[in-house]
Amino acid sequence: MCLAIPGQISAIDDAERLATVNVMGVRRRVNIDLLRQEPPVEGDWVLIHVGFAMSKISAEQAEEQMKLLELLGEDDEAREEAEGYAFGATQEQST
Amino acid sequence: MRYVDEFRDAARIKAVAEEIHRSVDPGETYRIMEVCGGHTHTIFRFGLSQLLPENIELIHGPGCPVCVLPMGRMDVGLAMAERDDLIFTAFGDMMRVPGSKGSPLQSKARGADIRMVYSPLDALKIAQENPDRPVMFFAIGFETTTPSTAVTLLRARELGLTNFYVYCNHILVNPAIRALLEMDDMRLDGFIGPGHVSTVIGCEPYRFIADEFDRPIVVSGFEPLDILQSIAMLVRQLNEGRSEVENQYTRAVSWNGNPSAIAAMDLVFETRDAFEWRGMGDIPKSALAIREEFAAFDAERQIGVHGQTFPDPIEAQCGEVLKGALKPTECKLFGKGCTPEKPVGALMVSSEGACAAQYKYADVTIGTTG
């Protein structure tokens, strides 16, 4: 539950306040309500926690975070969490 | 055996470890608490204590929300699950947490509709898909997780849902630190501040630690190098007689935190007068409850189940370990009657608890290849 997972934004749905992100090879949508102060744009990297983008980070930090998850042996758990976001299944996944 | 050279940034890690060895005063003892369970996990996973001089003692704090959840709160949640057609939802790491009559997994085996979710928004989706059934989300976590629950409740109100309830067990980091600092036999010299919590609340809220209690705190990232750098910064402050709030994790934490997240929390939640922490007892103002405006979504108000409090088993010495009076292995029950498979005390419950981490990584040793 305390994992912070890095993901890169590939599309933004402002109406639903969701962004499509690539999270460790998984495509999911995450909520971006907590980034109202610094609205994200396509290509941005974010740290994701329980389905919410919590903060914008640099590409380098994203890479560091992924390596840390691997070192801690938590990369599979992180991928599983991202895959598990049922609310964030993209349209092609839910049909 | 793993070697420092295998770490990322091995050269920098060695340099910082050497700096720490050079700078400690051999006549002093430095008792440093890492508050966050994520830090505890990294420290044990990488055997970081072994890179430190003997007179630096790392004490593992209460920063694992699953560990400090009192049994009575779990019992109330599971009593809700036994009602009629309610769907109980919670994060995966809650599923094995024992209440007095067993865990959510065991309730599920007895027929309760218990579902694991990865996000509170998943619970909301289940409520939308099951309009005829009440859906309860068992919310736990520190300020890292609380904004997500807040946004989910705002969304539930926007959608006009009438079957979605949150059982709020969100807790606050700083009142727990204050409680530790106010204990009679408190022996802590400084704190490694939580990283993810601080991305939300910023650094300013820690000022009382420095101003009222004359203890330094350094907000830290999660890499082994981050933690060592934070320890070096704390040693420097202690040697110079300073007690300040410093931020080592500047790449993710700003001084004022995330204003959108803070605003969402304030809108939905208010502070409780007191809340029980497993291993620490009642702590004033240490948890959040759902505000009156959102009462329709509050499981405690709407699904009337009354709880009971259970004292921690008398033999378990969790409180002593949390205060730093005992090391995990010095508890009478450690590994004998209290194990990660069958936890008795709070700190054995999740892999981020000090005892569980110590148990799992006891054989991690590191050496230097010169």
Side-chain angles (χ1 to χ4, degrees):
Chain A
M1 187 196 77
C2 290
L3 294 176
I5 315 169
Q8 188 176 27
I9 294 179
S10 61
I12 288 173
D13 179 346
D14 268 325
E16 291 292 316
R17 279 111 66 201
L18 295 174
T20 305
V21 289
N22 272 307
V23 189
M24 308 180 85
V26 180
R27 220 156 80 90
R28 273 292 181 271
R29 290 189 296 175
V30 298
N31 184 289
I32 50 170
D33 264 334
L34 299 175
L35 295 182
R36 281 172 190 250
Q37 301 286 322
E38 41 165 6
V41 295
E42 279 175 34
D44 277 350
W45 285 89
V46 288
L47 269 187
I48 299 157
H49 176 65
V50 300
F52 289 76
M54 297 297 295
S55 51
K56 290 208 273 188
I57 52 173
S58 69
E60 191 198 357
Q61 283 165 242
E63 198 182 325
E64 274 176 25
Q65 181 69 12
M66 275 186 271
K67 284 190 182 140
L68 178 65
L69 290 172
E70 273 170 40
L71 282 172
L72 288 170
E74 289 181 347
D75 47 330
D76 287 340
E77 207 180 313
R79 200 169 290 114
E80 188 188 308
E81 172 170 333
E83 279 172 359
Y85 296 150
F87 79 92
T90 52
Q91 264 145 14
E92 63 264 40
Q93 284 161 334
S94 49
T95 48
Chain B
M1 170 85 84
R2 47 186 300 143
Y3 292 94
V4 174
D5 291 341
E6 296 169 28
F7 288 127
R8 258 163 51 69
D9 296 317
R12 290 167 71 196
I13 284 179
K14 272 189 199 171
V16 178
E18 279 163 20
E19 184 201 325
I20 294 171
H21 277 268
R22 270 197 311 274
S23 59
V24 288
D25 178 341
E28 291 285 334
T29 306
Y30 301 77
R31 293 190 190 85
I32 293 172
M33 171 176 276
E34 87 280 0
V35 179
C36 165
H39 288 150
T40 303
H41 192 183
T42 301
I43 287 166
F44 281 102
R45 175 72 182 76
F46 295 102
L48 293 186
S49 306
Q50 297 164 54
L51 295 176
L52 299 174
E54 270 181 14
N55 55 342
I56 296 187
E57 194 183 322
L58 293 180
I59 293 150
H60 318 295
C64 159
V66 173
C67 300
V68 297
L69 182 78
M71 216 178 238
R73 298 291 295 182
M74 178 51 90
D75 283 346
V76 168
L78 289 176
M80 290 179 193
E82 276 160 25
R83 280 174 52 123
D84 305 338
D85 49 356
L86 184 133
I87 303 174
F88 171 114
T89 64
F91 293 134
D93 42 10
M94 294 291 291
M95 291 296 162
R96 297 166 61 87
V97 175
S100 65
K101 294 178 207 132
S103 67
L105 269 187
Q106 288 165 314
S107 286
K108 188 183 166 94
R110 288 195 294 266
D113 192 345
I114 297 210
R115 304 186 192 182
M116 183 178 110
V117 292
Y118 289 95
S119 168
L121 289 174
D122 288 343
L124 192 74
K125 185 171 188 238
I126 293 172
Q128 285 177 282
E129 289 168 351
N130 295 275
D132 302 331
R133 299 179 61 185
V135 174
M136 183 271 273
F137 174 63
F138 196 131
I140 68 159
F142 283 102
E143 289 92 330
T144 323
T145 316
T146 314
S148 312
T149 308
V151 170
T152 303
L153 279 169
L154 289 165
R155 186 86 179 130
R157 187 170 70 171
E158 215 174 275
L159 293 166
L161 292 189
T162 54
N163 65 324
F164 180 67
Y165 306 97
V166 166
Y167 176 38
C168 181
N169 291 280
H170 284 299
I171 47 177
L172 303 167
V173 156
N174 279 320
I177 297 180
R178 178 181 286 279
L180 285 167
L181 285 166
E182 285 174 350
M183 285 177 180
D184 293 340
D185 45 354
M186 205 280 301
R187 313 186 314 153
L188 304 171
D189 298 312
F191 294 88
I192 299 174
H196 293 143
V197 163
S198 307
T199 61
V200 172
I201 67 172
C203 301
E204 186 58 31
Y206 302 115
R207 187 171 291 285
F208 76 97
I209 298 170
D211 290 356
E212 283 179 51
F213 294 94
D214 290 325
R215 297 294 189 284
I217 176 166
V218 176
V219 171
S220 176
F222 293 87
E223 299 249 354
L225 179 62
D226 289 326
I227 293 176
L228 289 178
Q229 277 176 345
S230 301
I231 292 168
M233 289 163 79
L234 284 167
V235 168
R236 216 172 298 145
Q237 286 205 44
L238 289 165
N239 284 347
E240 291 167 12
R242 287 184 294 130
S243 45
E244 292 169 15
V245 184
E246 291 182 323
N247 183 10
Q248 181 275 338
Y249 198 26
T250 48
R251 58 192 197 275
V253 172
S254 67
W255 194 259
N256 292 316
N258 177 335
S260 311
I262 294 169
M265 283 196 289
D266 285 347
L267 208 55
V268 174
F269 298 110
E270 61 191 3
T271 311
R272 292 179 196 261
D273 290 338
F275 195 75
E276 185 195 347
W277 291 51
R278 214 174 156 175
M280 294 178 74
D282 276 338
I283 303 180
K285 313 261 182 221
S286 64
L288 298 172
I290 294 171
R291 283 188 190 277
E292 181 70 37
E293 296 92 297
F294 293 85
F297 302 102
D298 183 355
E300 281 180 270
R301 286 183 174 99
Q302 306 301 336
I303 311 171
V305 173
H306 293 289
Q308 221 184 319
T309 57
F310 295 87
D312 280 302
I314 197 113
E315 327 81 77
Q317 296 169 296
C318 311
E320 301 303 302
V321 175
L322 280 174
K323 280 187 285 184
L326 289 181
K327 296 193 167 85
T329 48
E330 290 168 350
C331 170
K332 281 181 284 193
L333 291 188
F334 182 85
K336 306 181 276 267
C338 188
T339 60
E341 292 73 40
K342 236 180 160 257
V344 176
L347 299 172
M348 201 54 105
V349 175
S350 128
S351 65
E352 298 195 342
C355 295
Q358 169 88 50
Y359 190 90
K360 184 170 176 196
Y361 297 119
D363 54 351
V364 174
T365 53
I366 26 178
T368 45
T369 48

